[in-house]
Every structure is written in structure tokens, then in C-alpha cells.
mmCIF file of all heavy atoms in Angstrom:
data_model
loop_
_atom_site.group_PDB
_atom_site.id
_atom_site.type_symbol
_atom_site.label_atom_id
_atom_site.label_comp_id
_atom_site.label_asym_id
_atom_site.label_seq_id
_atom_site.Cartn_x
_atom_site.Cartn_y
_atom_site.Cartn_z
ATOM 1 N N GLU K 1 221.217 94.933 -64.919
ATOM 2 C CA GLU K 1 219.959 94.482 -64.252
ATOM 3 C C GLU K 1 220.219 94.157 -62.773
ATOM 4 O O GLU K 1 219.402 94.539 -61.904
ATOM 5 C CB GLU K 1 219.486 93.208 -64.957
ATOM 6 C CG GLU K 1 218.881 93.436 -66.328
ATOM 7 C CD GLU K 1 218.522 92.147 -67.010
ATOM 8 O OE1 GLU K 1 218.567 91.028 -66.349
ATOM 9 O OE2 GLU K 1 218.170 92.146 -68.245
ATOM 10 N N ALA K 2 221.381 93.610 -62.504
ATOM 11 C CA ALA K 2 221.678 93.250 -61.132
ATOM 12 C C ALA K 2 221.825 94.573 -60.297
ATOM 13 O O ALA K 2 221.371 94.623 -59.197
ATOM 14 C CB ALA K 2 222.965 92.468 -61.076
ATOM 15 N N LYS K 3 222.529 95.564 -60.906
ATOM 16 C CA LYS K 3 222.690 96.894 -60.176
ATOM 17 C C LYS K 3 221.362 97.501 -59.952
ATOM 18 O O LYS K 3 221.108 98.087 -58.879
ATOM 19 C CB LYS K 3 223.596 97.720 -61.001
ATOM 20 C CG LYS K 3 225.042 97.412 -60.922
ATOM 21 C CD LYS K 3 225.932 98.397 -61.651
ATOM 22 C CE LYS K 3 227.368 98.071 -61.536
ATOM 23 N NZ LYS K 3 228.207 99.033 -62.248
ATOM 24 N N ALA K 4 220.450 97.415 -60.966
ATOM 25 C CA ALA K 4 219.147 97.976 -60.820
ATOM 26 C C ALA K 4 218.346 97.298 -59.674
ATOM 27 O O ALA K 4 217.685 97.929 -58.867
ATOM 28 C CB ALA K 4 218.350 97.931 -62.159
ATOM 29 N N SER K 5 218.436 95.964 -59.641
ATOM 30 C CA SER K 5 217.740 95.219 -58.606
ATOM 31 C C SER K 5 218.314 95.565 -57.217
ATOM 32 O O SER K 5 217.562 95.718 -56.238
ATOM 33 C CB SER K 5 217.900 93.679 -58.814
ATOM 34 O OG SER K 5 217.356 93.309 -60.046
ATOM 35 N N LEU K 6 219.661 95.749 -57.182
ATOM 36 C CA LEU K 6 220.284 96.117 -55.915
ATOM 37 C C LEU K 6 219.801 97.493 -55.444
ATOM 38 O O LEU K 6 219.470 97.704 -54.300
ATOM 39 C CB LEU K 6 221.812 96.097 -56.041
ATOM 40 C CG LEU K 6 222.614 96.502 -54.791
ATOM 41 C CD1 LEU K 6 222.333 95.495 -53.634
ATOM 42 C CD2 LEU K 6 224.104 96.508 -55.141
ATOM 43 N N SER K 7 219.797 98.469 -56.428
ATOM 44 C CA SER K 7 219.306 99.768 -56.090
ATOM 45 C C SER K 7 217.902 99.777 -55.591
ATOM 46 O O SER K 7 217.573 100.466 -54.661
ATOM 47 C CB SER K 7 219.464 100.659 -57.295
ATOM 48 O OG SER K 7 220.809 100.810 -57.685
ATOM 49 N N LEU K 8 217.065 98.979 -56.262
ATOM 50 C CA LEU K 8 215.666 98.855 -55.832
ATOM 51 C C LEU K 8 215.556 98.294 -54.440
ATOM 52 O O LEU K 8 214.747 98.845 -53.633
ATOM 53 C CB LEU K 8 214.891 97.998 -56.879
ATOM 54 C CG LEU K 8 213.392 97.800 -56.554
ATOM 55 C CD1 LEU K 8 212.643 99.170 -56.705
ATOM 56 C CD2 LEU K 8 212.823 96.817 -57.572
ATOM 57 N N ALA K 9 216.305 97.247 -54.189
ATOM 58 C CA ALA K 9 216.288 96.598 -52.861
ATOM 59 C C ALA K 9 216.735 97.621 -51.808
ATOM 60 O O ALA K 9 216.203 97.695 -50.692
ATOM 61 C CB ALA K 9 217.108 95.365 -52.827
ATOM 62 N N GLN K 10 217.801 98.362 -52.091
ATOM 63 C CA GLN K 10 218.327 99.384 -51.145
ATOM 64 C C GLN K 10 217.308 100.453 -50.938
ATOM 65 O O GLN K 10 217.145 100.895 -49.788
ATOM 66 C CB GLN K 10 219.670 99.983 -51.718
ATOM 67 C CG GLN K 10 220.768 99.018 -51.576
ATOM 68 C CD GLN K 10 222.070 99.537 -52.204
ATOM 69 O OE1 GLN K 10 222.068 100.471 -53.079
ATOM 70 N NE2 GLN K 10 223.227 98.976 -51.846
ATOM 71 N N ALA K 11 216.585 100.850 -52.022
ATOM 72 C CA ALA K 11 215.555 101.923 -51.841
ATOM 73 C C ALA K 11 214.401 101.391 -50.997
ATOM 74 O O ALA K 11 213.910 102.070 -50.053
ATOM 75 C CB ALA K 11 215.057 102.317 -53.191
ATOM 76 N N GLN K 12 214.037 100.125 -51.188
ATOM 77 C CA GLN K 12 212.951 99.532 -50.435
ATOM 78 C C GLN K 12 213.428 99.442 -48.929
ATOM 79 O O GLN K 12 212.623 99.720 -48.026
ATOM 80 C CB GLN K 12 212.591 98.142 -50.925
ATOM 81 C CG GLN K 12 211.858 98.110 -52.221
ATOM 82 C CD GLN K 12 211.636 96.738 -52.759
ATOM 83 O OE1 GLN K 12 212.268 95.777 -52.322
ATOM 84 N NE2 GLN K 12 210.721 96.624 -53.759
ATOM 85 N N HIS K 13 214.653 99.052 -48.773
ATOM 86 C CA HIS K 13 215.240 98.911 -47.449
ATOM 87 C C HIS K 13 215.214 100.265 -46.733
ATOM 88 O O HIS K 13 214.822 100.390 -45.559
ATOM 89 C CB HIS K 13 216.642 98.390 -47.550
ATOM 90 C CG HIS K 13 217.386 98.322 -46.213
ATOM 91 N ND1 HIS K 13 217.053 97.442 -45.200
ATOM 92 C CD2 HIS K 13 218.440 99.044 -45.776
ATOM 93 C CE1 HIS K 13 217.802 97.631 -44.193
ATOM 94 N NE2 HIS K 13 218.715 98.621 -44.476
ATOM 95 N N ALA K 14 215.651 101.287 -47.427
ATOM 96 C CA ALA K 14 215.705 102.674 -46.831
ATOM 97 C C ALA K 14 214.311 103.114 -46.514
ATOM 98 O O ALA K 14 214.074 103.729 -45.411
ATOM 99 C CB ALA K 14 216.371 103.605 -47.817
ATOM 100 N N LEU K 15 213.372 102.825 -47.424
ATOM 101 C CA LEU K 15 211.978 103.226 -47.179
ATOM 102 C C LEU K 15 211.408 102.493 -45.919
ATOM 103 O O LEU K 15 210.760 103.164 -45.071
ATOM 104 C CB LEU K 15 211.085 102.919 -48.364
ATOM 105 C CG LEU K 15 209.621 103.274 -48.302
ATOM 106 C CD1 LEU K 15 209.516 104.820 -48.188
ATOM 107 C CD2 LEU K 15 208.892 102.750 -49.528
ATOM 108 N N GLN K 16 211.681 101.205 -45.852
ATOM 109 C CA GLN K 16 211.239 100.428 -44.694
ATOM 110 C C GLN K 16 211.886 100.977 -43.350
ATOM 111 O O GLN K 16 211.261 101.015 -42.337
ATOM 112 C CB GLN K 16 211.518 98.948 -44.853
ATOM 113 C CG GLN K 16 210.621 98.309 -45.902
ATOM 114 C CD GLN K 16 211.045 96.881 -46.209
ATOM 115 O OE1 GLN K 16 212.043 96.398 -45.711
ATOM 116 N NE2 GLN K 16 210.199 96.194 -46.926
ATOM 117 N N LEU K 17 213.149 101.381 -43.491
ATOM 118 C CA LEU K 17 213.888 101.903 -42.330
ATOM 119 C C LEU K 17 213.195 103.224 -41.885
ATOM 120 O O LEU K 17 212.984 103.444 -40.683
ATOM 121 C CB LEU K 17 215.335 102.125 -42.694
ATOM 122 C CG LEU K 17 216.282 102.503 -41.520
ATOM 123 C CD1 LEU K 17 216.248 101.409 -40.449
ATOM 124 C CD2 LEU K 17 217.698 102.711 -42.068
ATOM 125 N N GLN K 18 212.879 104.043 -42.892
ATOM 126 C CA GLN K 18 212.206 105.264 -42.516
ATOM 127 C C GLN K 18 210.848 105.032 -41.915
ATOM 128 O O GLN K 18 210.441 105.681 -40.933
ATOM 129 C CB GLN K 18 212.029 106.164 -43.808
ATOM 130 C CG GLN K 18 213.275 106.895 -44.249
ATOM 131 C CD GLN K 18 213.011 107.750 -45.460
ATOM 132 O OE1 GLN K 18 212.104 107.472 -46.250
ATOM 133 N NE2 GLN K 18 213.846 108.741 -45.675
ATOM 134 N N GLN K 19 210.152 104.063 -42.463
ATOM 135 C CA GLN K 19 208.861 103.748 -41.945
ATOM 136 C C GLN K 19 209.023 103.219 -40.477
ATOM 137 O O GLN K 19 208.185 103.577 -39.602
ATOM 138 C CB GLN K 19 208.139 102.685 -42.794
ATOM 139 C CG GLN K 19 207.690 103.237 -44.130
ATOM 140 C CD GLN K 19 207.125 102.089 -45.053
ATOM 141 O OE1 GLN K 19 207.264 100.914 -44.718
ATOM 142 N NE2 GLN K 19 206.462 102.483 -46.121
ATOM 143 N N ALA K 20 210.013 102.423 -40.318
ATOM 144 C CA ALA K 20 210.207 101.872 -38.935
ATOM 145 C C ALA K 20 210.523 102.996 -37.958
ATOM 146 O O ALA K 20 210.006 102.979 -36.801
ATOM 147 C CB ALA K 20 211.320 100.832 -38.961
ATOM 148 N N LYS K 21 211.389 103.917 -38.392
ATOM 149 C CA LYS K 21 211.776 105.034 -37.540
ATOM 150 C C LYS K 21 210.532 105.918 -37.230
ATOM 151 O O LYS K 21 210.324 106.394 -36.108
ATOM 152 C CB LYS K 21 212.860 105.905 -38.184
ATOM 153 C CG LYS K 21 214.194 105.269 -38.116
ATOM 154 C CD LYS K 21 215.277 106.147 -38.727
ATOM 155 C CE LYS K 21 216.636 105.544 -38.668
ATOM 156 N NZ LYS K 21 217.703 106.351 -39.297
ATOM 157 N N ALA K 22 209.746 106.085 -38.275
ATOM 158 C CA ALA K 22 208.524 106.915 -38.087
ATOM 159 C C ALA K 22 207.599 106.258 -37.104
ATOM 160 O O ALA K 22 206.964 106.889 -36.249
ATOM 161 C CB ALA K 22 207.850 107.126 -39.515
ATOM 162 N N GLN K 23 207.469 104.917 -37.247
ATOM 163 C CA GLN K 23 206.594 104.242 -36.328
ATOM 164 C C GLN K 23 207.156 104.262 -34.883
ATOM 165 O O GLN K 23 206.386 104.346 -33.909
ATOM 166 C CB GLN K 23 206.471 102.752 -36.734
ATOM 167 C CG GLN K 23 205.539 102.634 -38.015
ATOM 168 C CD GLN K 23 205.512 101.183 -38.481
ATOM 169 O OE1 GLN K 23 206.173 100.312 -37.983
ATOM 170 N NE2 GLN K 23 204.650 100.979 -39.467
ATOM 171 N N ILE K 24 208.508 104.178 -34.777
ATOM 172 C CA ILE K 24 209.120 104.279 -33.471
ATOM 173 C C ILE K 24 208.804 105.703 -32.867
ATOM 174 O O ILE K 24 208.538 105.814 -31.696
ATOM 175 C CB ILE K 24 210.592 103.976 -33.491
ATOM 176 C CG1 ILE K 24 210.886 102.492 -33.807
ATOM 177 C CG2 ILE K 24 211.323 104.398 -32.231
ATOM 178 C CD1 ILE K 24 212.281 102.131 -34.071
ATOM 179 N N ASN K 25 209.000 106.679 -33.753
ATOM 180 C CA ASN K 25 208.734 108.046 -33.283
ATOM 181 C C ASN K 25 207.299 108.225 -32.885
ATOM 182 O O ASN K 25 206.952 109.100 -32.058
ATOM 183 C CB ASN K 25 209.084 109.054 -34.396
ATOM 184 C CG ASN K 25 210.628 109.156 -34.549
ATOM 185 O OD1 ASN K 25 211.346 108.790 -33.649
ATOM 186 N ND2 ASN K 25 211.050 109.672 -35.685
ATOM 187 N N ASN K 26 206.440 107.449 -33.506
ATOM 188 C CA ASN K 26 204.978 107.575 -33.154
ATOM 189 C C ASN K 26 204.682 106.672 -31.969
ATOM 190 O O ASN K 26 203.492 106.326 -31.741
ATOM 191 C CB ASN K 26 204.105 107.203 -34.324
ATOM 192 C CG ASN K 26 204.201 108.241 -35.416
ATOM 193 O OD1 ASN K 26 204.476 109.379 -35.158
ATOM 194 N ND2 ASN K 26 203.942 107.822 -36.665
ATOM 195 N N MET K 27 205.652 106.299 -31.255
ATOM 196 C CA MET K 27 205.500 105.458 -30.018
ATOM 197 C C MET K 27 204.784 104.115 -30.347
ATOM 198 O O MET K 27 203.786 103.850 -29.847
ATOM 199 C CB MET K 27 204.660 106.244 -29.003
ATOM 200 C CG MET K 27 205.310 107.510 -28.542
ATOM 201 S SD MET K 27 206.910 107.297 -27.802
ATOM 202 C CE MET K 27 206.501 106.717 -26.234
ATOM 203 N N VAL K 28 205.549 103.374 -31.186
ATOM 204 C CA VAL K 28 205.034 102.122 -31.582
ATOM 205 C C VAL K 28 205.170 101.181 -30.380
ATOM 206 O O VAL K 28 206.184 101.170 -29.646
ATOM 207 C CB VAL K 28 205.920 101.555 -32.741
ATOM 208 C CG1 VAL K 28 205.512 100.141 -33.163
ATOM 209 C CG2 VAL K 28 205.853 102.460 -33.940
ATOM 210 N N PRO K 29 204.271 100.306 -30.185
ATOM 211 C CA PRO K 29 204.395 99.324 -29.067
ATOM 212 C C PRO K 29 205.574 98.416 -29.257
ATOM 213 O O PRO K 29 206.064 98.195 -30.412
ATOM 214 C CB PRO K 29 203.023 98.543 -29.177
ATOM 215 C CG PRO K 29 202.186 99.329 -30.022
ATOM 216 C CD PRO K 29 202.990 100.206 -30.858
ATOM 217 N N LYS K 30 206.047 97.909 -28.172
ATOM 218 C CA LYS K 30 207.291 97.133 -28.133
ATOM 219 C C LYS K 30 207.175 95.876 -29.034
ATOM 220 O O LYS K 30 208.093 95.585 -29.766
ATOM 221 C CB LYS K 30 207.612 96.734 -26.694
ATOM 222 C CG LYS K 30 208.921 96.046 -26.554
ATOM 223 C CD LYS K 30 209.294 95.782 -25.149
ATOM 224 C CE LYS K 30 210.645 95.135 -25.062
ATOM 225 N NZ LYS K 30 211.064 94.863 -23.726
ATOM 226 N N LYS K 31 206.088 95.248 -28.966
ATOM 227 C CA LYS K 31 205.898 93.992 -29.728
ATOM 228 C C LYS K 31 205.958 94.323 -31.281
ATOM 229 O O LYS K 31 206.596 93.648 -32.044
ATOM 230 C CB LYS K 31 204.512 93.342 -29.393
ATOM 231 C CG LYS K 31 204.384 92.001 -29.989
ATOM 232 C CD LYS K 31 203.091 91.361 -29.398
ATOM 233 C CE LYS K 31 203.018 89.977 -29.846
ATOM 234 N NZ LYS K 31 201.862 89.248 -29.369
ATOM 235 N N GLN K 32 205.313 95.401 -31.611
ATOM 236 C CA GLN K 32 205.364 95.822 -33.043
ATOM 237 C C GLN K 32 206.754 96.272 -33.412
ATOM 238 O O GLN K 32 207.193 95.993 -34.513
ATOM 239 C CB GLN K 32 204.360 96.991 -33.251
ATOM 240 C CG GLN K 32 203.729 97.057 -34.604
ATOM 241 C CD GLN K 32 202.630 98.096 -34.639
ATOM 242 O OE1 GLN K 32 202.398 98.825 -33.741
ATOM 243 N NE2 GLN K 32 201.989 98.091 -35.806
ATOM 244 N N PHE K 33 207.464 96.937 -32.525
ATOM 245 C CA PHE K 33 208.789 97.404 -32.758
ATOM 246 C C PHE K 33 209.710 96.192 -32.954
ATOM 247 O O PHE K 33 210.547 96.178 -33.925
ATOM 248 C CB PHE K 33 209.282 98.214 -31.561
ATOM 249 C CG PHE K 33 210.684 98.663 -31.685
ATOM 250 C CD1 PHE K 33 211.051 99.699 -32.572
ATOM 251 C CD2 PHE K 33 211.738 98.057 -30.941
ATOM 252 C CE1 PHE K 33 212.400 100.092 -32.736
ATOM 253 C CE2 PHE K 33 213.038 98.513 -31.081
ATOM 254 C CZ PHE K 33 213.346 99.486 -32.032
ATOM 255 N N GLU K 34 209.573 95.115 -32.157
ATOM 256 C CA GLU K 34 210.371 93.950 -32.274
ATOM 257 C C GLU K 34 210.064 93.278 -33.660
ATOM 258 O O GLU K 34 210.966 92.776 -34.344
ATOM 259 C CB GLU K 34 210.119 92.965 -31.147
ATOM 260 C CG GLU K 34 210.718 93.418 -29.844
ATOM 261 C CD GLU K 34 210.316 92.518 -28.680
ATOM 262 O OE1 GLU K 34 209.503 91.588 -28.907
ATOM 263 O OE2 GLU K 34 210.825 92.790 -27.580
ATOM 264 N N GLN K 35 208.799 93.277 -34.025
ATOM 265 C CA GLN K 35 208.337 92.689 -35.285
ATOM 266 C C GLN K 35 209.043 93.479 -36.458
ATOM 267 O O GLN K 35 209.564 92.884 -37.412
ATOM 268 C CB GLN K 35 206.815 92.832 -35.377
ATOM 269 C CG GLN K 35 206.157 91.518 -35.772
ATOM 270 C CD GLN K 35 204.666 91.694 -35.802
ATOM 271 O OE1 GLN K 35 204.094 92.735 -35.590
ATOM 272 N NE2 GLN K 35 203.964 90.595 -36.088
ATOM 273 N N LEU K 36 208.999 94.741 -36.302
ATOM 274 C CA LEU K 36 209.656 95.602 -37.377
ATOM 275 C C LEU K 36 211.121 95.335 -37.384
ATOM 276 O O LEU K 36 211.752 95.321 -38.521
ATOM 277 C CB LEU K 36 209.365 97.106 -37.113
ATOM 278 C CG LEU K 36 207.959 97.580 -37.477
ATOM 279 C CD1 LEU K 36 207.748 98.967 -36.978
ATOM 280 C CD2 LEU K 36 207.677 97.467 -38.945
ATOM 281 N N GLN K 37 211.738 95.196 -36.194
ATOM 282 C CA GLN K 37 213.205 94.894 -36.214
ATOM 283 C C GLN K 37 213.533 93.579 -36.900
ATOM 284 O O GLN K 37 214.455 93.430 -37.675
ATOM 285 C CB GLN K 37 213.716 94.897 -34.788
ATOM 286 C CG GLN K 37 214.064 96.254 -34.245
ATOM 287 C CD GLN K 37 214.673 96.162 -32.836
ATOM 288 O OE1 GLN K 37 214.407 95.293 -32.094
ATOM 289 N NE2 GLN K 37 215.582 97.081 -32.562
ATOM 290 N N ASN K 38 212.681 92.561 -36.625
ATOM 291 C CA ASN K 38 212.813 91.249 -37.291
ATOM 292 C C ASN K 38 212.673 91.341 -38.780
ATOM 293 O O ASN K 38 213.467 90.778 -39.547
ATOM 294 C CB ASN K 38 211.801 90.246 -36.697
ATOM 295 C CG ASN K 38 212.139 89.838 -35.302
ATOM 296 O OD1 ASN K 38 213.331 89.902 -34.900
ATOM 297 N ND2 ASN K 38 211.187 89.338 -34.524
ATOM 298 N N THR K 39 211.670 92.071 -39.160
ATOM 299 C CA THR K 39 211.420 92.370 -40.629
ATOM 300 C C THR K 39 212.611 93.028 -41.235
ATOM 301 O O THR K 39 213.081 92.705 -42.349
ATOM 302 C CB THR K 39 210.154 93.159 -40.850
ATOM 303 O OG1 THR K 39 208.984 92.525 -40.193
ATOM 304 C CG2 THR K 39 209.855 93.338 -42.300
ATOM 305 N N LEU K 40 213.139 94.057 -40.468
ATOM 306 C CA LEU K 40 214.314 94.790 -40.921
ATOM 307 C C LEU K 40 215.487 93.872 -41.069
ATOM 308 O O LEU K 40 216.220 93.875 -42.111
ATOM 309 C CB LEU K 40 214.656 95.956 -39.986
ATOM 310 C CG LEU K 40 215.839 96.802 -40.339
ATOM 311 C CD1 LEU K 40 215.629 97.487 -41.681
ATOM 312 C CD2 LEU K 40 216.122 97.804 -39.231
ATOM 313 N N ARG K 41 215.743 92.990 -40.046
ATOM 314 C CA ARG K 41 216.852 92.033 -40.185
ATOM 315 C C ARG K 41 216.670 91.119 -41.376
ATOM 316 O O ARG K 41 217.626 90.780 -42.088
ATOM 317 C CB ARG K 41 216.928 91.208 -38.870
ATOM 318 C CG ARG K 41 217.783 91.976 -37.818
ATOM 319 C CD ARG K 41 218.130 91.029 -36.588
ATOM 320 N NE ARG K 41 217.669 91.805 -35.432
ATOM 321 C CZ ARG K 41 216.597 91.493 -34.667
ATOM 322 N NH1 ARG K 41 215.816 90.421 -34.890
ATOM 323 N NH2 ARG K 41 216.297 92.259 -33.661
ATOM 324 N N GLU K 42 215.450 90.618 -41.513
ATOM 325 C CA GLU K 42 215.199 89.714 -42.622
ATOM 326 C C GLU K 42 215.475 90.423 -44.006
ATOM 327 O O GLU K 42 216.098 89.879 -44.908
ATOM 328 C CB GLU K 42 213.695 89.259 -42.652
ATOM 329 C CG GLU K 42 213.418 88.233 -41.572
ATOM 330 C CD GLU K 42 211.929 87.919 -41.446
ATOM 331 O OE1 GLU K 42 211.142 88.342 -42.302
ATOM 332 O OE2 GLU K 42 211.554 87.176 -40.488
ATOM 333 N N GLU K 43 215.052 91.694 -44.058
ATOM 334 C CA GLU K 43 215.260 92.464 -45.332
ATOM 335 C C GLU K 43 216.807 92.707 -45.535
ATOM 336 O O GLU K 43 217.274 92.634 -46.653
ATOM 337 C CB GLU K 43 214.524 93.770 -45.256
ATOM 338 C CG GLU K 43 212.973 93.651 -45.469
ATOM 339 C CD GLU K 43 212.535 93.019 -46.732
ATOM 340 O OE1 GLU K 43 213.200 93.299 -47.778
ATOM 341 O OE2 GLU K 43 211.649 92.178 -46.723
ATOM 342 N N GLN K 44 217.499 93.005 -44.423
ATOM 343 C CA GLN K 44 218.931 93.203 -44.525
ATOM 344 C C GLN K 44 219.609 91.900 -44.995
ATOM 345 O O GLN K 44 220.471 91.961 -45.823
ATOM 346 C CB GLN K 44 219.474 93.677 -43.165
ATOM 347 C CG GLN K 44 219.210 95.104 -42.850
ATOM 348 C CD GLN K 44 219.682 95.498 -41.449
ATOM 349 O OE1 GLN K 44 219.817 94.636 -40.591
ATOM 350 N NE2 GLN K 44 219.908 96.809 -41.276
ATOM 351 N N CYS K 45 219.139 90.795 -44.456
ATOM 352 C CA CYS K 45 219.702 89.519 -44.806
ATOM 353 C C CYS K 45 219.399 89.266 -46.325
ATOM 354 O O CYS K 45 220.333 88.820 -47.053
ATOM 355 C CB CYS K 45 219.088 88.424 -43.937
ATOM 356 S SG CYS K 45 219.960 86.834 -44.006
#
């Protein structure tokens, strides 16, 4: 169960990372980019 939860969290993290990169590629505004980075750090934590 723990491994499954970890895999799910990693998949979510990877998805969020892809979403963040996609948003950056779509010229996301700096404030939104910082927000995404904060969210990413929180998710990594």
C-alpha cells in the first residue's frame, strides 16, 4: 500500500511538473510561475 501511495504521489508530481513546464512554455506570467514553483516545492516536500 505504501509503495502504491508513493507511486501515485510520484505520478501526480510528474504530472504537475509536466503541467508546470507546459505552462512555462506557454509563457506563463512570472507571478503564476512563482506560484507554481511554490506548489511544486510543497508537493516535493
Side-chain angles (χ1 to χ4, degrees):
E1 288 176 9
K3 285 183 178 181
S5 297
L6 180 61
S7 296
L8 181 64
Q10 286 175 339
Q12 287 175 345
H13 174 69
L15 183 63
Q16 288 174 352
L17 189 59
Q18 281 180 337
Q19 288 174 350
K21 284 182 181 178
Q23 287 177 355
I24 290 172
N25 288 339
N26 290 334
M27 299 301 283
V28 176
K30 187 175 182 179
K31 191 172 187 180
Q32 210 173 5
F33 177 73
E34 287 173 358
Q35 231 178 0
L36 284 173
Q37 276 185 326
N38 287 337
T39 305
L40 179 62
R41 273 190 234 108
E42 287 173 8
E43 288 300 320
Q44 285 175 336
C45 196

